[in-house]
């Protein structure tokens, strides 16, 4: 991430066994924007926000997926993706 540009932004990626979760929170009273580089091997698939049902496609790049995110003041996103391919 670019924490020096968004000190109130917290982003974490969790391994939940059969799924991955990416959680982003903005604790400030102003909007924040940042670029988050996910670990290599993270799929470039459609992620689901469990809070509002919206979807997100991470930007595929050769090193790893990139997430260009914008969060409103005091907002959060919780995206998940299933690890099991069918």
């Amino acid at each position: 991430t670019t924490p020096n540009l968004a000190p109130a932004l917290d982003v974490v990626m969790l391994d939940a066994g059969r799924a991955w979760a990416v959680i982003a929170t903005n604790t400030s009273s102003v909007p924040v924007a940042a670029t988050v580089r996910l670990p290599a091997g993270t799929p470039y698939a459609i992620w689901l926000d469990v809070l509002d049902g919206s979807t997100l496609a991470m930007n595929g790049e050769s090193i790893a997926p990139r997430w260009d995110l914008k969060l409103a003041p005091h907002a959060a996103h919780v995206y998940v993706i299933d690890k099991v391919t069918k």
Side-chain angles (χ1 to χ4, degrees), residues 12-63:
V12 63
M13 183 172 178
L14 305 170
D15 183 341
R18 293 180 48 108
W20 282 296
V22 176
I23 302 167
T25 58
N26 174 11
T27 60
S28 75
S29 58
V30 297
V32 296
T35 297
V36 177
R37 178 81 56 198
L38 299 178
T42 305
Y44 301 119
I46 305 286
W47 292 66
L48 173 70
D49 188 330
V50 298
L51 298 178
D52 67 10
S54 64
T55 58
L56 169 72
M58 303 290 180
N59 295 317
E61 293 188 354
S62 60
I63 24 181

